Amino acid sequence: MNTATETAATPPSLGGARSRFDQKTGPTTAIVFVGLLAIGLFYTGHSLFQDMDQSHVNFTAWFSFVLLGVALLIALGFEFVNGFHDTANAVATVIYTNSLAPNFAVMWSGLFNFLGVLLSSGAVAFGIISLLPVELILQVGSSAGFAMVFALLIAAILWNLATWWLGLPASSSHTLIGSIIGVGVANALMNGRDGTAGVDWAQAKSVGVTLLVSPIVGFVCAALLLVVLRMFVKNRELYQEPKGNAPPPLWIRGLLILTCTGVSFAHGSNDGQKGMGLIMLILVGTVPLTYGLNRAMPVEEMNRFAAVAQATQASLIRTAPTAAPADVRATLTTYIRTNEMNAGVVPSLAALTGSIGSQVRQYGSLAAVPADAVGNVRNDMYLASETISRIKKNKSVAFDSETQSNVDAFKRSLDDSTKFIPLWVKVAVAIALGLGTMVGWKRIVVTVGEKIGKTHLTYAQGASAELVAMATIGAADVYGLPVSTTHVLSSGIAGTMAANRSGLQWSTLRNLALAWVLTLPAAMLLSGGLYWVMRHVF
C-alpha cells in the first residue's frame, strides 16, 4: 500500500501547488490556534460547572469527576482527529486550482466546519446513538457503559490515525459505525448471546446502504455535472488546469471557494453531530441529574405532555386490550434488541406510557424530578421512544389514524424531553473539529489532489466534485443520515477524471477501496477487543 508521502509520478504542473505546502505556519496562526484551544477548554469547563451548580449536583466522588473529564477529552479528541483527517476533502480542490493558499484554505475550512456544527440539527447525533446496544444505553453510567464509550472512541481514533499516517482518505463515519458494531457484538457474546443479537441490524443496514451508495452518487453525479457543464458552458478557461501559481479567473475562483465553503459547512454539520451524541451519552451517564432530562422545558409543556401520555395510553389499550406482562421494561428492551414482535409489546408500551404520564404529572416539571428518580424516568422515556420508532420502522402494528396521531405526538414529547444538546456541547465540538482542520492536512490533501487522477485537476473538475459533495452531505444531514465526506468527495474527483478521459491512478483507487473494505472489520475488531479488555479491568 503506497502512502501519500512516497514519490509518485506527479505532473509538472503540480509543482506550484506542492511548493506552497512548504509555507511555514506563522506565529499569528499559532497564537490563534492556542488561543482558541484555551477559550474552548475554559468555556467547556465553565459551562459544565455552571450547569451542575444550577441543578444542585453534589459532586463529591472525585473518581466520577475524573472519569467525566477523561471521557469528554477522548470524545473531543475524536472530533479533533476527524477534523484533520477529513479536511482534505474540502480544501484539496481550492489548493490545487490555486484558488486559495493552503494555510488560508485550512483556516477558512475550519471556520465553516465550526459554523456547520453550531447550526446542525442534531438528528444525526441521536441516529448514531440508536445503533448502540439498548442495555448499555440504559446503564450508561455503569462500568459497562463507560467501557463501551471508551472502547468505541479509542478504536475510532486509532484507525483514523493509522489511515491518516498512510495518507488514505478513509471515512471517519465508517470507522465510528464499525466501532459501535464491534462493541455491540462483543457485548452480546460476553452475555452468552449470539453476536448478531448485539446490534440493531436494521439501523446498521440503513447506515451501511447510505455509506455504500454515497460514493456511487459522488462518482456518477460529478461525472454527469462535468458533462453538462461542457455542453452548456463554453468558456475554455473552465476546463484548463492552473498555470503555475496564477489564480483562476475571478468568477471561477469565487465558485470554487463557494463550494469549498459549502463542503466544510456540510462536513461540520454532519460529522460534528457524531461527537455530540457520544458526549451527551457520557454526560447522561456521569451527571444524570443535570443532563438526563431537559430541565429547560416549561411547566405548561409538561401539562400538555401528561395529557398526551394519557390519550396515547387509552389509544394503545383500545388497540391491544390484553393485560401487560409483569415486567414491561424487560419486554420492551427485548423487543428493541431483537425486533421480534409479540403480544406483550403494545400492552407493555401502554403501561409504560401511563407510568411516564403519571410521573410527569406528579413532579410538575422535569426540573423537579428528584435526583434518585431521574435515571429511571429517562430510561422509561428512552424505552418508550425507541419502541415507537421500531414499531413504525418495522410496521409491526397497524394503528388506526387516531392512535397513530397520539403515538406520534407522544414520541415528539419524549424526544423533546431527552434528546437535547446544550449550546456548550456544540461549541466544544465545533472548536475541536475546527482546530483539527488546521493541522495534519497535507498527507491526505496530496492523495486527493494528485494521486486519484493522472492529470491536474481543472477548475471545472474541482467545482463539479465539490458541488456534488456539498449537496449530498447537506441532504444527508436533513434526513439524519451519517455519510462519508471522504467517500463522496474522493469518488467525485474520480468521476470527473473518468468523464474527462484523463485517466485514473488505479493503484491509489485500489488502496482507497482496500481501506474502505478493511475499515469496518478493523474498527469492529479494535473496539470489540478494547471493550473486552476494559470490562475485565473496570
Side-chain angles (χ1 to χ4, degrees):
M1 186 178 292
N2 296 327
T3 71
T5 55
E6 291 174 345
T7 304
T10 304
S13 56
L14 293 179
R18 289 299 300 275
S19 64
R20 294 195 298 165
F21 288 173
D22 297 330
Q23 296 174 354
K24 294 183 178 180
T25 301
T28 303
T29 303
I31 291 171
V32 169
F33 183 92
V34 173
L36 287 174
L37 179 62
I39 291 170
L41 290 174
F42 174 79
Y43 177 71
T44 298
H46 175 73
S47 299
L48 180 59
F49 279 111
Q50 191 174 47
D51 285 352
M52 289 164 53
D53 182 62
Q54 289 176 354
S55 57
H56 307 293
V57 172
N58 184 17
F59 225 133
T60 56
W62 66 269
F63 179 73
S64 297
F65 185 76
V66 171
L67 198 62
L68 171 60
V70 171
L72 287 177
L73 286 175
I74 293 175
L76 292 174
F78 167 75
E79 286 300 338
F80 181 83
V81 172
N82 186 1
F84 73 70
H85 189 277
D86 288 3
T87 305
N89 304 296
V91 302
T93 54
V94 290
I95 291 173
Y96 278 92
T97 56
N98 298 328
S99 298
L100 290 175
N103 288 336
F104 184 83
V106 294
M107 287 191 288
W108 182 262
S109 177
L111 171 63
F112 282 91
N113 265 288
F114 178 90
L115 294 175
V117 176
L118 287 185
L119 300 176
S120 59
S121 65
V124 174
F126 297 107
I128 285 290
I129 289 178
S130 66
L131 285 172
L132 295 166
V134 59
E135 62 267 32
L136 291 184
I137 294 177
L138 297 177
Q139 310 172 50
V140 70
S142 66
S143 59
F146 274 100
M148 168 187 71
V149 173
F150 283 140
L152 67 90
L153 281 173
I154 293 172
I157 290 172
L158 289 175
W159 184 252
N160 273 348
L161 287 174
T163 52
W164 165 79
W165 182 258
L166 295 171
L168 292 173
S171 166
S172 296
S173 301
H174 201 173
T175 304
L176 182 60
I177 289 163
S179 298
I180 289 172
I181 293 174
V183 167
V185 171
N187 179 69
L189 292 173
M190 291 175 69
N191 285 281
R193 299 193 301 268
D194 184 348
T196 58
V199 178
D200 176 7
W201 291 107
Q203 177 73 0
K205 179 182 176 182
S206 174
V207 171
V209 168
T210 304
L211 288 171
L212 177 64
V213 170
S214 56
I216 299 172
V217 170
F219 186 95
V220 173
C221 290
L224 289 176
L225 182 56
L226 183 63
V227 171
V228 170
L229 278 175
R230 285 187 174 280
M231 291 173 60
F232 293 100
V233 182
K234 301 299 183 181
N235 189 321
R236 294 182 61 185
E237 289 182 306
L238 189 61
Y239 310 103
Q240 296 174 352
E241 64 182 51
K243 298 174 182 177
N245 286 330
L250 187 60
W251 73 274
I252 298 175
R253 188 179 192 184
L255 177 63
L256 288 162
I257 293 173
L258 177 64
T259 55
C260 165
T261 303
V263 170
S264 299
F265 183 89
H267 174 258
S269 179
N270 196 277
D271 277 41
Q273 293 191 57
K274 295 150 193 169
M276 285 184 218
L278 294 170
I279 286 175
M280 289 309 300
L281 205 59
I282 292 165
L283 292 171
V284 169
T286 49
V287 275
L289 181 60
T290 306
Y291 299 106
L293 299 170
N294 187 356
R295 301 168 61 86
M297 289 190 70
V299 174
E300 56 270 21
E301 185 67 22
M302 291 296 93
N303 294 331
R304 192 186 73 82
F305 188 160
V308 169
Q310 184 177 8
T312 303
Q313 182 186 24
S315 295
L316 290 170
I317 290 174
R318 285 197 304 271
T319 301
T322 57
D327 192 341
V328 299
R329 293 172 181 82
T331 300
L332 297 182
T333 299
T334 301
Y335 171 66
I336 293 171
R337 188 179 67 242
T338 64
N339 285 321
E340 295 177 0
M341 174 58 72
N342 60 68
V345 171
V346 175
S348 295
L349 179 59
L352 191 61
T353 299
S355 174
I356 293 169
S358 297
Q359 292 178 83
V360 168
R361 189 179 295 107
Q362 174 188 350
Y363 299 125
S365 72
L366 296 183
V369 177
D372 57 355
V374 168
N376 291 332
V377 173
R378 178 187 168 81
N379 283 350
D380 285 352
M381 289 182 172
Y382 177 83
L383 273 177
S385 178
E386 285 300 300
T387 300
I388 292 169
S389 293
R390 299 298 172 88
I391 289 174
K392 188 171 184 178
K393 183 190 302 180
N394 300 334
K395 299 180 181 178
S396 305
V397 181
F399 293 134
D400 59 48
S401 58
E402 181 185 354
T403 302
Q404 189 63 60
S405 177
N406 287 335
V407 166
D408 289 343
F410 182 55
K411 186 179 187 310
R412 285 194 295 272
S413 295
L414 291 171
D415 291 346
D416 289 342
S417 302
T418 57
K419 296 182 179 180
F420 65 100
I421 301 175
L423 177 62
W424 72 263
V425 172
K426 287 191 172 187
V427 172
V429 170
I431 291 176
L433 192 65
L435 291 179
T437 64
M438 297 173 66
V439 300
W441 48 271
K442 293 181 185 178
R443 289 176 180 272
I444 295 177
V445 163
V446 171
T447 297
V448 173
E450 297 181 18
K451 296 182 177 293
I452 293 178
K454 291 182 178 179
T455 61
H456 196 296
L457 277 173
T458 66
Y459 304 127
Q461 287 176 299
S464 297
E466 292 274 21
L467 277 170
V468 168
M470 180 176 67
T472 303
I473 300 163
D477 185 38
V478 171
Y479 290 101
L481 298 172
V483 298
S484 166
T485 308
T486 302
H487 291 162
V488 176
L489 196 281
S490 298
S491 60
I493 290 176
T496 63
M497 291 291 177
N500 207 39
R501 298 182 181 179
S502 50
L504 295 167
Q505 295 195 40
W506 291 105
S507 60
T508 299
L509 295 183
R510 281 194 299 270
N511 288 344
L512 294 178
L514 185 60
W516 195 94
V517 170
L518 289 178
T519 289
L520 196 66
M524 289 174 62
L525 287 171
L526 274 172
S527 64
L530 286 171
Y531 179 73
W532 184 87
V533 170
M534 290 179 183
R535 284 302 310 274
H536 286 80
V537 170
F538 290 159

